[in-house]
Amino acid sequence: MKQRADIHIIGVVQGVGFRPFVYGLAKELNLVGYVLNLGNAGVQLVVEGRRGDIEGLIAEVKSRAPAVSRIDGINVEWSDATGEFNEFRIERSVDVRKETSGLDMPPDIAMCEDCVADLLRSGSRWHLYPFTSCSICGPRFSTITSLPYDRPNTTMTDFPLCNTCNTEYNNPTDRRYYAQTIACPECGPIYRLLDPLGRLVEDSEPIATAAKLVENGKIGAFQGISGTHLVTMTSKPTAIQELRERKRRLRRPFAIMVRDLETLRNQFLVSSQEIDLLTSWRRPIVLVKKRKGSKESDKDSSRITREIPAESLELISPGLDTVGVMLPYSGLHHLLFHYMDEPGLVMTSANPTGLPMYVNPEVIISELKGIADLFLVHNRRIEQRADDSVIKLLLNGPIFIRRARGYVPEPIIVNGLSREAKLIAVGPEERATGAVLSRGKVYQTQHIGDTNRAENIDFLWDALSHLMNILAVTRLDAVACDLHPEFLSSEFARNLAAERKVPVLPVQHHHAHLAALLADSGLPADTTIACITIDGFGYALGGESWGGDVLVGNAVEATRAGGLKRQAYSGGDLSATYSARALLGILGDSFDVSEISHLIGKAQIAPGVVATGSNLSMLSEMRQRRVNVLYSTSAGRFLDAVSAALGLCFENSYDGECPMQLEAVARETGLRINKEHSLEKSVVLDSTEAIREILRLRRQGVPTEEVAYAAQWYLGESLATIACMVSMERGIGSVGVSGGVAVNRIVTQAISTTVEKEGLKLLVHRNVPPGDGGISVGQIVVSASNLNQ
């Protein structure tokens, strides 16, 4: 007897390609009925046939769904067959946003292997056409204007399908069936090549010409899926140096794109986990270790015509032991390598650090004249710009440095929040994201940047408005922001709250870190944990500055239970730039001017000011008189001070440069810095004693690499010891770590080892950035939890 199954597949967040997949299964199993996209409610299947065949379909859906699909649950209702169907079909989408939960808005997806084959195969209809895509790949988030995800609700509505594409679009057996971004040379977007002044270059093969120019050492501005990269060759160091000088980016690392896995393995030390990330459909940038010399087995490979020289790698990431690497993810990328022999290309965001990516061709040209030698731009609108995501492997798992393309707008499901509450959060001031709460899920925006400038506030609001529109959020219960009253984002939040006549809810920076970790770990918002919050700066009640602390609490409230000793740093924010100031601040009144002068030489302590004996004495006097002094428990400043004490780095020309160089130079050792004598009253870590010990080790001639490792281990182990002590006293079972310093492999390994030794559970970030990019999630969780009180 035939049966009917009404199947609701929940949360098919990357549902593109899912309905054609189900269609194929149903046809194979001789089932009839239909599959229907419910907008942001998932997918509905109604099938009739033999029960065993229907159960087989369900099993196949669970085990073989396209990699870009995410299934949160499957609900099935059985009944007798009605006989109303004589075939299986795909129904047009419906929009049920206002009545349901979930979000069917997929991230941008890397070009699949079948489309790459179409792109490169002579005779193919899509031969050398960069905008090739199908039902399981191509741009998504960057093109969507509204839900449901159908072509009229994307920027591809500007390109009506030709007859041939339309036939494929409507053929259920075709790989491009109902693929919203498909196009061909007859009906789709095109690239144009422009000269240094932005004038059109008449060229029938603009990408091929651009590739050859870059291979000859030129710098190109190439518009991509969701932004614009500055691109140059890696085989000649002079090209990279020229890019640094033109972009005025003297030391901040560049990302690179390598040709293929063979090149990747030849040039870098990569683990299987890193390869899985790099080859996934998300295609993030992954920080991988530099290899000292090429693999001998690959040196004679006929496919590798050039290598990235060691000098180039040093220019790509000066003073670091890692490089941010990605693999091609768009048609343009595959074609660039098709036309050239380069092993890799520098691909750095064309926009200045902290500002929104350039997505409009006119803006690209006007802003990059004098930097780019050529422009390659297209005529497909970018609805939402997004940087490349950046990931680092820590403690046997991925951790986000930046969460954007390929991951946004996937939600974070938070246990214990009201499904009715509607909130937005505007994040902190630096490396910000925004977030929207809808039906108990937190939807983060893409990486926004630094919101201390008006254009980034505009970008933040545009990204938040887009999410609110997609989620059908028409009312707000509150607006969350950082506790710091002078942040431009806090002012924006206050104005928005007043306009909407809702409360503004300031959230302390490190409490937000703790709450973001709760959400990331899947724990209920009312779970109490001890959280090690380690970063550079966070405004606290009373105007204090935290940054190396152990907090105890949950999403409703948290208190500081211990951490680094509060130190006085002269020069205010200058101490975050010049590491010698951090060193002097931690040493306090006990440092010997002549010894420090000898150690740090002519290091800068302010723009154009070097550390002479008289200048150091002046800083000491200012500190004693409390003139322009910042008090802070910052772990970032401690690592800066260690870097200065070891003579490694004296200026953070970009955020975290000195700590990153300290991590890079460190070599694993059994050397340990005694933490017992620097733990005051058990819960306060006296960093002055630690710095004195580090200076003593340096005087004794202990290798810098070993002292660097021991100092970072000391920081992690000591803070973890405090957290474990507090946890056991209060009956807390979990210790977490969050904040920007939580991406340091040595600090986090020390924390992990110490926590596990004490038999407690360690919580680390996996889905939300531990740095300031995750603050908006924490702001949402704290605010929503307090609204419930």
Side-chain angles (χ1 to χ4, degrees):
M1 182 176 177
K2 292 188 176 181
Q3 294 269 289
R4 173 188 174 112
D6 289 80
I7 306 168
H8 182 201
I9 300 176
I10 305 167
V12 187
V13 179
Q14 282 78 262
V16 287
F18 187 80
R19 287 166 291 166
F21 162 72
V22 171
Y23 177 90
L25 289 177
K27 298 294 281 187
E28 287 177 16
L29 295 167
N30 295 313
L31 298 173
V32 296
Y34 66 84
V35 58
L36 171 67
N37 178 17
L38 297 176
N40 69 334
V43 171
Q44 180 185 41
L45 268 71
V46 175
V47 291
E48 293 187 357
R50 294 189 306 173
R51 182 165 183 139
D53 291 334
I54 297 174
E55 289 175 339
L57 180 143
I58 295 170
E60 290 289 284
V61 165
K62 290 179 178 178
S63 63
R64 288 181 47 217
V68 297
S69 301
R70 194 194 80 187
I71 299 175
D72 295 331
I74 299 179
N75 297 328
V76 184
E77 293 183 7
W78 294 94
S79 60
D80 293 335
T82 64
E84 63 183 283
F85 307 110
N86 56 22
E87 63 177 354
F88 193 89
R89 63 184 184 272
I90 298 178
E91 297 284 12
R92 293 292 180 180
S93 303
V94 298
D95 185 2
V96 290
R97 286 178 292 169
K98 296 180 181 179
E99 291 79 27
T100 56
S101 63
L103 179 67
D104 187 14
M105 182 165 57
D108 292 326
I109 300 167
M111 181 178 277
C112 71
E113 292 182 4
D114 287 337
C115 283
V116 173
D118 286 342
L119 178 73
L120 301 179
R121 186 178 65 251
S122 178
S124 161
R125 204 162 69 82
W126 303 272
H127 184 226
L128 306 181
Y129 182 62
F131 298 97
T132 302
S133 68
C134 70
S135 62
I136 64 166
C137 75
R140 300 295 192 260
F141 174 68
S142 60
T143 69
I144 296 172
T145 58
S146 183
L147 286 185
Y149 174 53
D150 290 325
R151 193 178 183 95
N153 295 330
T154 74
T155 59
M156 290 302 290
T157 192
D158 298 341
F159 304 96
L161 293 172
C162 66
N163 289 337
T164 306
C165 283
N166 192 55
T167 299
E168 293 165 343
Y169 182 82
N170 287 288
N171 179 4
T173 64
D174 195 281
R175 200 177 87 246
R176 291 177 170 84
Y177 176 69
Y178 215 55
Q180 309 306 332
T181 59
I182 63 166
C184 75
E186 296 299 318
C187 62
I190 60 170
Y191 268 103
R192 295 175 296 141
L193 179 64
L194 308 174
D195 71 11
L197 297 178
R199 297 172 301 198
L200 179 66
V201 176
E202 296 293 344
D203 195 313
S204 61
E205 296 184 322
I207 298 176
T209 301
K212 294 305 179 186
L213 288 169
V214 168
E215 197 168 28
N216 287 328
K218 300 298 184 182
I219 296 169
F222 293 173
Q223 187 181 14
I225 288 176
S226 57
T228 304
H229 288 114
L230 284 171
V231 181
T232 196
M233 64 195 309
T234 58
S235 60
K236 289 187 178 179
T238 52
I240 303 169
Q241 184 60 45
E242 181 67 21
L243 176 57
R244 286 207 171 276
E245 291 173 1
R246 291 190 195 178
K247 202 169 188 286
R248 298 180 182 177
R249 185 171 170 170
L250 300 183
R251 296 192 61 80
R252 181 182 289 270
F254 287 145
I256 67 170
M257 180 175 285
V258 295
R259 171 180 292 277
D260 51 26
L261 276 177
E262 185 177 4
T263 307
L264 178 74
R265 291 190 177 104
N266 184 62
Q267 296 275 179
F268 304 99
L269 295 168
V270 287
S271 68
S272 59
Q273 281 183 287
E274 289 165 337
I275 288 174
D276 288 344
L277 285 167
L278 285 160
T279 57
S280 73
W281 59 267
R282 301 179 188 275
R283 286 294 200 277
I285 294 170
V286 178
L287 300 185
V288 298
K289 288 273 191 179
K290 295 176 182 176
R291 181 187 291 280
K292 295 180 180 179
S294 300
K295 289 176 64 176
E296 292 298 324
S297 59
D298 289 342
K299 281 190 174 180
D300 296 328
S301 172
S302 59
R303 291 189 58 199
I304 299 177
T305 57
R306 299 184 188 175
E307 292 182 347
I308 305 175
E311 186 181 351
S312 289
L313 290 175
E314 178 57 24
L315 283 167
I316 288 165
S317 59
L320 305 181
D321 62 341
T322 58
V323 175
V325 175
M326 55 183 158
L327 288 169
Y329 59 81
S330 75
L332 172 63
H333 301 150
H334 289 286
L335 289 176
L336 288 173
F337 285 111
H338 172 73
Y339 288 123
M340 63 172 68
D341 293 329
E342 277 293 296
L345 294 169
V346 171
M347 282 207 174
T348 185
S349 298
N351 51 290
T353 300
L355 291 181
M357 294 197 81
Y358 300 144
V359 295
N360 180 285
E362 288 72 26
V363 174
I364 293 168
I365 295 164
S366 65
E367 293 296 327
L368 298 176
K369 279 183 180 177
I371 297 177
D373 297 311
L374 62 142
F375 299 90
L376 195 61
V377 297
H378 59 70
N379 60 341
R380 181 173 65 196
R381 286 183 290 126
I382 296 175
E383 177 68 16
Q384 284 295 305
R385 67 194 87 199
D387 290 88
D388 297 311
S389 294
V390 183
I391 290 177
K392 182 178 183 178
L393 212 63
L394 280 179
L395 301 178
N396 298 313
I399 192 166
F400 281 102
I401 308 296
R402 182 171 70 205
R403 185 177 185 267
R405 179 191 52 75
Y407 295 88
V408 171
E410 289 183 350
I412 307 298
I413 301 174
V414 185
N415 291 324
L417 296 189
S418 167
R419 289 176 53 81
E420 304 305 317
K422 307 288 185 182
L423 288 86
I424 65 170
V426 300
E429 184 175 60
E430 297 181 348
R431 299 171 298 284
T433 62
V436 177
L437 174 67
S438 179
R439 297 187 178 272
K441 297 179 181 180
V442 181
Y443 298 87
Q444 268 195 294
T445 69
Q446 62 272 47
H447 170 78
I448 300 297
D450 297 342
T451 53
N452 58 355
R453 297 178 64 164
E455 52 263 65
N456 270 17
I457 293 291
D458 292 341
F459 177 25
L460 172 65
W461 179 235
D462 177 71
L464 285 169
S465 298
H466 184 66
L467 285 179
M468 291 169 66
N469 173 54
I470 295 296
L471 294 163
V473 174
T474 57
R475 67 168 177 85
L476 290 176
D477 296 313
V479 179
C481 65
D482 195 274
L483 183 62
H484 200 302
E486 296 180 8
F487 284 173
L488 195 59
S489 58
S490 298
E491 179 184 350
F492 169 70
R494 290 191 294 268
N495 293 338
L496 179 62
E499 178 186 314
R500 297 294 184 101
K501 295 181 173 56
V502 298
V504 60
L505 302 177
V507 178
Q508 199 279 323
H509 191 87
H510 297 96
H511 188 193
H513 275 309
L514 181 152
L517 183 58
L518 284 175
D520 199 348
S521 303
L523 295 174
D526 61 358
T527 304
T528 297
I529 65 171
C531 187
I532 302 166
T533 55
I534 40 179
D535 58 11
F537 170 82
Y539 185 86
L541 290 171
E544 292 187 355
S545 170
W546 291 354
D549 313 280
V550 175
L551 270 57
V552 173
N554 51 36
V556 175
E557 60 181 353
T559 57
R560 186 177 187 273
L564 282 166
K565 177 182 177 181
R566 192 180 73 151
Q567 301 284 11
Y569 299 100
S570 62
D573 290 344
L574 285 175
S575 62
T577 301
Y578 299 101
S579 61
R581 285 180 178 267
L583 174 62
L584 298 175
I586 292 177
L587 285 174
D589 301 329
S590 64
F591 74 86
D592 180 277
V593 170
S594 61
E595 180 185 11
I596 297 301
S597 296
H598 176 72
L599 282 173
I600 65 177
K602 297 297 182 181
Q604 280 198 326
I605 55 175
V609 180
V610 297
T612 62
S614 59
N615 285 336
L616 293 178
S617 297
M618 181 184 65
L619 286 180
S620 177
E621 183 180 349
M622 290 175 63
R623 183 184 181 279
Q624 291 172 9
R625 294 168 54 193
R626 303 299 186 255
V627 176
N628 193 22
V629 168
L630 173 70
Y631 293 92
S632 178
T633 61
S634 173
R637 299 296 77 75
F638 173 77
L639 294 175
D640 284 345
V642 174
S643 183
L646 296 180
L648 296 173
C649 179
F650 296 105
E651 181 181 357
N652 287 308
S653 66
Y654 59 87
D655 185 63
E657 179 178 6
C658 291
M660 288 168 66
Q661 290 201 25
L662 183 69
E663 180 183 359
V665 78
R667 185 177 69 227
E668 188 169 356
T669 175
L671 176 68
R672 294 291 182 264
I673 294 170
N674 183 5
K675 67 179 185 296
E676 304 304 329
H677 70 269
S678 57
L679 279 171
E680 297 179 354
K681 298 179 182 178
S682 301
V683 295
V684 178
L685 185 62
D686 187 352
S687 50
T688 303
E689 289 296 327
I691 292 295
R692 287 172 178 163
E693 176 69 5
I694 289 164
L695 291 173
R696 185 183 65 80
L697 292 171
R698 183 177 178 184
R699 285 194 298 268
Q700 292 177 348
V702 178
T704 297
E705 297 85 353
E706 294 186 16
V707 181
Y709 188 93
Q712 292 168 91
W713 187 274
Y714 161 86
L715 178 64
E717 181 184 38
S718 301
L719 290 173
T721 298
I722 295 172
C724 290
M725 191 183 311
V726 170
S727 295
M728 289 185 284
E729 286 176 357
R730 305 189 189 189
I732 298 170
S734 297
V735 173
V737 57
S738 188
V741 178
V743 302
N744 180 295
R745 62 181 172 83
I746 302 168
V747 173
T748 52
Q749 186 59 62
I751 291 171
S752 175
T753 300
T754 305
V755 171
E756 291 176 5
K757 189 184 298 181
E758 296 296 339
L760 298 172
K761 182 179 180 180
L762 178 68
L763 305 177
V764 296
H765 286 277
R766 292 302 182 204
N767 304 294
V768 176
D772 284 5
I775 287 291
S776 62
V777 173
Q779 290 174 347
I780 288 281
V781 176
V782 170
S783 299
S785 298
N786 279 282
L787 279 177
N788 291 340
Q789 298 303 301

